[in-house]
């Protein structure tokens, strides 16, 4: 239930690598893909098989590591690809907001992103970190947990569909980030569905209280937005970055991603505004229910309180109370009382209180 | 009732063409128009008559296909005009948000748009997909359902009104999109009417509950906005696109469309803000009704509860209760009670509770 | 009561001119002003006196037509000044939003604007169309109804005040549009007054319900904003337009108008936000009134219900009920009951319910 | 109580000067300061001592006129400094929004600003006009009422503090406007204090109704904002103005003022949003009070209504009603009734209604 | 409880230095760090040890003064580093909003910032001033109170981690400001936690009133935002400043800080919007509680008021009231009354009022 911090910078980061997440050790899957326009090779490899291809090989290497609990894999990758220790620390520190670091000296771009899953098909989010390391002829991705968010990219690589195999590492990086952002739409679709479901329930079953699901969705939308929105800055930085890795032709595609993020955040904002309306609608329903209750109270009181007064009158013990001696007094009184009730019922019927 | 997804990208699109909509097969109408400044020929054609004119012919061809249930027509069009399979898939996948694809290699621009109809003159929207394929000397349009949204363009072509027959395919494409956006204004006019109708009802007949129509309109406005807003990006991309198809002179017109969309979304936003006010007004009315009910309860209780107490006093069985023996006690009591009622009625009259 | 459409484009405009407004034929006033720095001539003319001065004359002609019910005047003007039929149709189609059309071929700019009047000094708007036709040495204005919105310009022309007589047609057009926008401020001042009047009433006389005037003002503000806001785009287009009519020196003045419109719309938005607060305040007042009513109910019930119970006790017919036989029982009971009432009154006084 | 108009342009301004404010004639103070880097002379002068120094004198003249009721002073100043009659009219027409007029021909810039005072330390604003006339070697300021808003500038001039005496008239004009804008912060501080005071009261004394002070503050904030916001446009125009008076070096300072105004308007907007929340909080308090009242009603009714029924049972006159004959019936009944009360009190205690 | 003024400019600042804060004299800590790429020396020094290194020394000096109560230290620093008296006054005047002053003549940049601490781990803010004086080879920082906000920078200097020791004073200044802005995130994290805690409480324990904590948090967020937002302008000015101190390479880093501030203010705005929703939710809860209370009242009244009427009927003293003479009348009546109660309970059960 602990809300992860908005942003956490380790003032005093010791030189040792520590995984900050809460997962228990599990089997880690490392997949290596080597490809160029003509060649494609995909293998699931062991820790000690991680190695860098020379640039003259003319292929692009994409290594995907799923799971962060085995530090030695991260260390091995770091030493093989000559990655800065600070970068490796950031891979393991899983409570970060999306960011871009440019390691000029080693010619490496490092991007931290988030992957989202819906827990048990509720609206609650599981937020995992995805790290993207872009070198001159390789891309390394670290996923905090096993997931198939990159599967569409793999399929396009295998089938050589589109231009992905003809382009450089920057296009691969774009394709991976695009696949990630695509997965955000699934979350948002789920939230939109939930939103309309709550609204339908409020309108069709106005008797219940919907504050709980409204606020639950609202909280999830805020958390989601806070993770998605900074991504736009990351991509914009990438576009402005004077790195030789990102080519002009790819920047057009990256701009496409920022458009998607803009669209996502706008949709989230519309949704949240809509939730505010639902809170007011729920309040309206509460007051409508109260109306109904008070109507019953008023109708019953209005009918019986005057009658009780009348019978009280003839319960008095005055020695001289003429009506009491009348032969048919009691029956006449009943007649009067029934008349009063009928008149009142007609009035309430007219007022639509019945 | 299933809300169509905000955006759906087929990660693994197999090579076969499948129509994703829910319509049953129906007669499909294919219309071909060939024109230039001097020539105009309009014919309703059969599937196997679909063919591409050579560019040297110096005419522009506009083929309009209404209905998507016959895959063979789409295939025939694809092979005749040399369209990419991916493009044909997108024509058939009718749950897309507006987008622009540039098929550089074949010199074709592909635009996906939405056409809206109001179901049975209610505010509920039927959203159909319109695909626009722009080549060097042809435009092909696919409408998911038969519709006359392009009729104004046809009329201008027939009558050679304005400059449409003197201009190139890009102007035809502009005219078609403009006709589509014009049709959006009719939807919005209907929504504005509905909005003011609800407001008038809330003000003039405050007794009822208007949450249902308010939320219905609100939901429709959101759905409408989500389909209209992305169109602006599509047109902007078209303006920025370095395609030789779209000429500078036409871009000025395209900017006009983005202005219209901007105006549409602003109007929608104002409407939605207005609906929020109506929710609060409806709540005010609910509370006013409750006020009225409680007034009745209070007036009746205030009058009869004290009287019931008084008659209760003289219903007591004390052996020594002097008033009971008074000859006129009963009649004096009636006088007092009537006086109490009159005083209370005056007070309530003053408080305007009666 | 029919809300005019947001925007209506006649897809199939036949070649005949038809006035779309609802006014009955009335006397139409045509005024012609010819001027340059040294000359000024102002005459009220007849239909057949409408004629174009040659450009070598070196004067500027401003023809103002008040009233659109006589089609022949529009036709005569059209033929004399060589105006496109489409333009004349737009002059007569009075349900348009502000727009700018550039008739390149004839070197004419056509601007559609709106004039507003308050009906019977209420807040309800009467919206009339004003058309502005700018040629190389003439300006023609068509007003749907007679009005004096252009009077300040006439005065400046007559008295040669300011630089208006030294400048070209574009400055005249600017002066006319500026006079029109100035007239909008009078409407807005009236609305601001109304707004503060409603607010004062809500605060000082909280007993009434103010939903009706609030929503009436709100609706008028929305209608007003929808007509005013698009004007900014029109002026901006005019500034960007590469027409030789609009000179650079005049564009600075035009920018001034867009500033005014920006200011108008911002003020309207602030006003509407303020109205939302008033709806909530009105709701607060409703609930305060309910509070008062329920207090009365509670006080009376709290006092008399227990007393009624007490007298009920001694109305019981138990054979062995000792207090009934006490000589002073009845009077002691009255003492107790008066004590109970006094204690309750003190408590309610403390709670400020009395 | 008359709300001054948002903007008032005199279409037909006759040539005579008339003061439009409501102040009675009072002693008018005219102060003249002549200075350059080495010289400083400050004198309070009479009407006929107003005169222009020749530009060769190499000093800057600042004449400050406090009070506008003596037209002859304005006329004298006008003739001495060769000011346009239109400008003098604007000095006297005190219901204007901030504006900048550039009198190119005479090389004079004319700025209209507003000075604010809080009336009797309430939040109500007194709005006075300040006119700023900037010539090549002089600045003339007209204040509608005596005030010390320019005192800080005078002090800096006297003590030659900062660079003010080394710079030109444009810097003096900047310093004067900056002093004016600084005085706005005092108003805003007062409003912020009031805002937090109202909020504290609402939270700590929730029993009262705070709609009156909330709306009073809200109205003042709107009025204040409407006068402050247009100032930004004025300064921006001044920056863009191609007047030789305003030098590039001073424009940086002017940009500083626009930043301050931006900050002021943002703070006002935040405050107004906060007031909206207070209206809702006030409503919450109203409903809380109602809750308390209804609890009392419910507790008393729930206790006594059943008891009254019970005693009513034994007040019945059935000939065969066995309990009445029981020796201890009456006392047993009291026991039962006390038990019922105790049980109810426990239940209400648990529900926290007591 | 005194709200510090939004902005306070001392019109008449006398030449004497006065500390405007409310702290009592305390031990002041002065720390001096001298470093370059190869050298690092950190010492805690006495007042008279403060001295300026010559620029030829090729080291950078950072002097940090914690505590402002000893004026003589400020004076000594001023004379040693040749600081303007106005600057020293600003160091001591601790109620300022963030600002940047450029002392061109002495080549010194002066920045005023704020440091925040949470008082006793509540959400209440303690706002202290931090002054940053940047010279050609030195940085002097004054903290109003002892604090460790700069500790991360010291650690990086000591350990020569990153590039900080290779860069110039401008980078040191950036690092210090960055450390300060980082500390703002901790405040904001605390506020976000508090926000979600209030929300959880409102949803899970809807019986209480949460206006107090909501408004407390709201006030703190506003105060925080007002201090944080102007910082963006300060940094932007620093970026635009044509000072030779701030190098182009450092400006990229400064832009990073403005991004962080933008992110902070956006998060604050989202939080405040969320608080508005919580106020409405709290209101919903209040009304739900009222619903519950009124249900009890209605149920009890509906059951017993009719019964009381019935027993009242048989308490009447009519001489001819046949049922009274029936042998089993009393018992039959009980049967009828119990039946009525059972029917009512079933109805209320169905309505879910029980």
């Amino acid at each position: 239930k602990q809300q992860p911090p908005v942003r956490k910078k380790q003032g005093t980061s010791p030189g040792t690598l520590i995984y900050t997440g809460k997962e228990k050790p599990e089997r880690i899957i490392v997949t290596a893909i080597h490809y160029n326009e003509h060649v494609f090779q995909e293998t699931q490899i062991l820790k000690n098989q991680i190695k860098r291809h020379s640039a003259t090989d003319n292929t692009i290497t994409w290594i995907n590591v799923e799971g962060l609990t085995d530090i030695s894999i991260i260390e091995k990758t770091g030493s093989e690809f000559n990655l800065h220790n600070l970068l490796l620390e950031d891979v393991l520190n899983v409570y970060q907001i999306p960011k871009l670091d440019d390691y000029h000296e080693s010619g490496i771009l490092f991007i931290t992103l988030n992957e989202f899953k819906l827990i048990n098909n509720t609206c609650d989010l599981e937020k995992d970190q995805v790290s993207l390391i872009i070198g001159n002829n390789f891309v390394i991705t670290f996923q905090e947990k096993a997931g198939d968010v990159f599967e569409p990219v793999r399929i396009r690589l295998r089938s050589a569909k589109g231009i992905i195999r003809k382009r450089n590492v920057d296009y691969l990086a774009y394709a991976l980030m695009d696949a990630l952002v695509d997965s955000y739409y699934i979350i948002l679709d789920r939230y939109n569905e939930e939103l309309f479901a709550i609204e339908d329930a409020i309108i069709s079953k106005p008797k219940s209280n919907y504050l709980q699901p409204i606020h639950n969705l609202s909280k999830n939308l805020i958390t989601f937005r806070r993770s998605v929105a900074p991504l736009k800055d990351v991509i914009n930085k990438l576009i402005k970055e004077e790195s030789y890795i990102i080519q002009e032709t790819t920047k057009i595609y990256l701009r496409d991603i920022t458009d998607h993020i803009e669209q996502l955040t706008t949709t989230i904002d519309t949704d949240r505004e809509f939730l505010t309306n639902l809170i007011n609608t729920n309040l309206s329903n509460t007051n409508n229910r109260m109306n109904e209750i008070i109507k019953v109270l008023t109708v019953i009181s209005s009918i019986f309180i005057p009658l009780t007064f009348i019978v009280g009158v003839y319960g008095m013990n005055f020695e001289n109370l003429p009506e009491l001696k009348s032969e048919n007094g009691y029956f006449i009184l009943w007649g009067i009382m029934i008349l009063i009730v009928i008149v009142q019922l007609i009035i309430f019927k007219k007022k639509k209180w019945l």
Side-chain angles (χ1 to χ4, degrees), chain A:
Chain A
K1 262 167 181 244
Q2 174 67 28
Q3 189 64 19
V6 174
R7 176 191 180 225
K8 194 90 185 190
K9 226 158 119 183
Q10 307 292 102
T12 57
S13 46
T16 53
L17 295 175
I18 296 159
Y19 168 58
T20 63
K22 22 187 179 173
E23 291 310 304
K24 288 174 201 152
E26 53 175 43
R27 218 177 70 82
I28 293 172
I29 303 160
V30 184
T31 327
I33 292 180
H34 302 281
Y35 72 89
N36 62 20
E37 195 173 348
H38 312 291
V39 182
F40 179 82
Q41 181 198 344
E42 181 179 6
T43 42
Q44 195 170 318
I45 58 175
L46 296 177
K47 196 194 312 187
N48 54 3
Q49 291 173 321
I50 297 170
K51 80 180 212 305
R52 182 177 194 163
H53 280 230
S54 78
T56 58
D57 179 338
N58 217 0
T59 62
I60 291 167
T61 306
W62 167 29
I63 292 173
N64 184 36
V65 181
E66 297 180 31
L68 294 179
T69 49
D70 184 352
I71 304 296
S72 66
I73 289 182
I74 282 89
E75 282 171 342
K76 167 72 178 161
T77 314
S79 66
E80 188 66 34
F81 286 89
N82 196 21
L83 304 177
H84 198 287
N85 208 49
L86 213 69
L87 187 157
L88 298 176
E89 278 175 30
D90 278 350
V91 167
L92 288 164
N93 175 12
V94 296
Y95 292 128
Q96 298 181 86
I97 56 163
K99 68 164 189 173
L100 165 70
D101 283 342
D102 187 348
Y103 287 80
H104 282 297
E105 59 277 20
S106 51
I108 278 170
L109 289 170
F110 174 58
I111 302 170
T112 309
L113 300 149
N114 289 117
E115 186 177 352
F116 293 96
K117 291 188 194 98
L118 294 165
I119 302 170
N120 302 328
N121 205 27
T122 64
C123 283
D124 293 331
L125 282 177
E126 185 188 314
K127 178 169 150 185
D128 298 323
Q129 182 156 307
V130 174
S131 304
L132 204 69
I133 299 159
I134 314 168
N136 61 333
N137 68 340
F138 63 88
V139 169
I140 308 169
T141 47
F142 289 98
Q143 289 179 268
E144 194 182 343
K145 294 216 195 110
D148 57 356
V149 76
F150 293 146
E151 193 60 23
V153 180
R154 255 178 235 118
I155 288 165
R156 276 154 67 193
L157 281 172
R158 278 179 212 135
S159 63
K161 195 179 151 190
I163 55 174
I164 189 162
R165 287 223 335 235
K166 294 173 200 157
R167 304 294 292 263
N168 224 322
V169 275
D170 55 345
Y171 191 88
L172 176 60
Y174 151 72
L176 292 168
M177 288 188 285
D178 192 49
L180 203 60
V181 171
D182 272 7
S183 77
Y184 293 173
Y185 278 90
I186 294 161
I187 311 279
L188 196 57
D189 281 355
R190 179 73 187 78
Y191 283 175
N192 277 318
E193 261 174 47
E194 177 76 10
L195 185 69
F196 283 117
I198 294 174
E199 198 206 4
D200 278 348
I202 283 184
I203 295 297
S204 61
K205 293 181 210 151
K207 301 257 162 165
S208 308
N209 190 1
Y210 296 92
L211 287 178
Q212 173 97 53
I214 289 171
H215 273 276
N216 194 30
L217 186 51
S218 177
K219 186 153 49 172
N220 278 314
L221 279 171
I222 287 177
T223 310
F224 188 44
R225 196 193 192 288
R226 283 198 182 139
S227 299
V228 171
L231 198 50
K232 199 183 156 192
D233 293 334
V234 168
I235 308 287
N236 273 333
K237 262 192 197 168
L238 204 57
I239 291 169
K240 274 182 269 170
E241 198 71 34
E242 288 166 30
S243 166
Y244 67 94
I245 297 177
I246 306 298
Q247 295 166 356
E248 278 308 311
T249 47
T250 304
K251 288 186 178 175
I252 297 164
Y253 294 97
L254 290 172
R255 234 162 254 132
D256 209 48
I257 298 184
T258 63
D259 286 355
H260 289 333
I261 297 163
E262 183 72 33
Q263 197 180 320
L264 278 163
T265 51
T266 306
T267 307
I268 294 171
D269 289 344
T270 314
D271 284 0
R272 290 183 46 232
E273 200 187 309
F274 197 74
L275 279 172
T276 305
N277 276 356
L278 289 186
I279 290 174
N280 285 327
T281 305
N282 187 67
L283 179 62
S284 256
N285 281 336
T286 305
N287 287 19
N288 275 327
R289 283 200 302 280
M290 209 186 301
N291 252 352
E292 203 195 334
I293 297 168
I294 287 184
K295 264 183 209 167
V296 169
L297 177 62
T298 302
V299 167
I300 289 189
S301 299
S302 300
I303 290 174
F304 286 103
I305 287 180
L307 298 185
T308 303
F309 160 70
I310 291 170
V311 300
V313 166
Y314 299 104
M316 289 193 291
N317 298 319
F318 281 101
E319 285 180 4
N320 180 14
L321 207 164
E323 294 96 317
L324 293 179
K325 279 136 199 167
S326 149
E327 182 70 12
N328 296 315
Y330 174 60
F331 307 102
I332 292 167
L333 193 70
W334 264 119
I336 291 168
M337 293 198 299
I338 288 166
L339 200 76
I340 288 172
V341 171
I342 289 169
V343 168
Q344 288 202 340
L345 288 180
I346 290 169
I347 290 171
F348 293 143
K349 200 86 194 172
K350 265 201 182 160
K351 291 205 180 206
K352 299 197 173 170
W353 292 6
L354 289 176

